[in-house]
Amino acid sequence: MKKTILYTILLISISFNAAFIVSTIIHIKNRPPHPGHPDGFEFRDHHHPPRLDKMMEEGKHEARQRMIEYRKQKREFMKELVSENFSPEKARYIFQQGLNIQAEMEKSIGEHLITIRSEMTAEQAKEFFNERFNKKIRDNKNKRRNRK
């Protein structure tokens, strides 16, 4: 009797350990890249001239500021929608301001990318923009996978 209980406990223990190992492996394969990883949020070393690196940093700062403005405007719009003194005209005005800010943000990012591209060689541009494009695709896949 004692032997069968011990074997049963051993079998249960092995099952739990196997399940833990398999779930850990699945988790590791499906997690997004670490921010410090080359496929993560940091750019690889492209051997750009220092002037180009400075231009990229300035563009990131400007885009970040415009994104902050846009998010503030979105919050203001949402506050107006839940307001007790709701006014459709005011909501439309705030919404239109948000669209204008978003358009300005997209325009400044596009102009900045065009300026950066004019300073790059064809090979640097191919590497830089393909990497950005592929990263966006990976990020979107990870977002969809995480929603499930």
Side-chain angles (χ1 to χ4, degrees), residues 84-98:
E84 290 182 18
N85 302 327
F86 175 73
S87 165
E89 293 80 23
K90 185 176 179 184
R92 282 189 188 94
Y93 176 74
I94 294 170
F95 178 69
Q96 190 60 47
Q97 281 183 322

Side-chain angles (χ1 to χ4, degrees), residues 34-125:
H34 187 271
H37 191 269
D39 291 336
F41 306 110
E42 303 295 325
F43 292 113
R44 291 183 183 161
D45 183 16
H46 294 283
H47 307 292
H48 295 147
R51 185 181 76 219
L52 190 57
D53 287 333
K54 185 178 180 183
M55 288 173 64
M56 283 194 270
E57 285 303 315
E58 289 170 359
K60 285 181 191 177
H61 179 70
E62 183 180 341
R64 193 172 295 126
Q65 294 294 51
R66 293 198 185 267
M67 179 61 79
I68 290 169
E69 288 177 36
Y70 175 66
R71 287 183 179 157
K72 284 180 184 177
Q73 193 65 30
K74 273 181 26 178
R75 277 193 297 270
E76 189 176 326
F77 177 65
M78 296 306 289
K79 285 179 184 178
E80 179 60 31
L81 291 176
V82 298
S83 171
E84 290 182 18
N85 302 327
F86 175 73
S87 165
E89 293 80 23
K90 185 176 179 184
R92 282 189 188 94
Y93 176 74
I94 294 170
F95 178 69
Q96 190 60 47
Q97 281 183 322
L99 289 177
N100 292 341
I101 291 172
Q102 183 180 19
E104 288 175 23
M105 178 181 66
E106 294 290 340
K107 182 180 177 186
S108 74
I109 290 170
E111 289 292 332
H112 182 71
L113 289 174
I114 290 170
T115 304
I116 287 175
R117 173 55 183 103
S118 65
E119 298 289 326
M120 291 180 171
T121 65
E123 188 172 314
Q124 287 174 330

Side-chain angles (χ1 to χ4, degrees), residues 30-33 39-41 128-147:
N30 292 332
R31 73 174 182 214
D39 291 336
F41 306 110
F128 180 77
F129 290 110
N130 277 338
E131 181 177 310
R132 288 178 64 100
F133 178 72
N134 292 333
K135 181 185 176 307
K136 288 289 184 190
I137 290 173
R138 279 192 310 270
D139 289 348
N140 288 338
K141 283 181 183 177
N142 286 337
K143 285 179 186 177
R144 275 188 252 125
R145 188 180 304 137
N146 290 337
R147 285 184 201 158

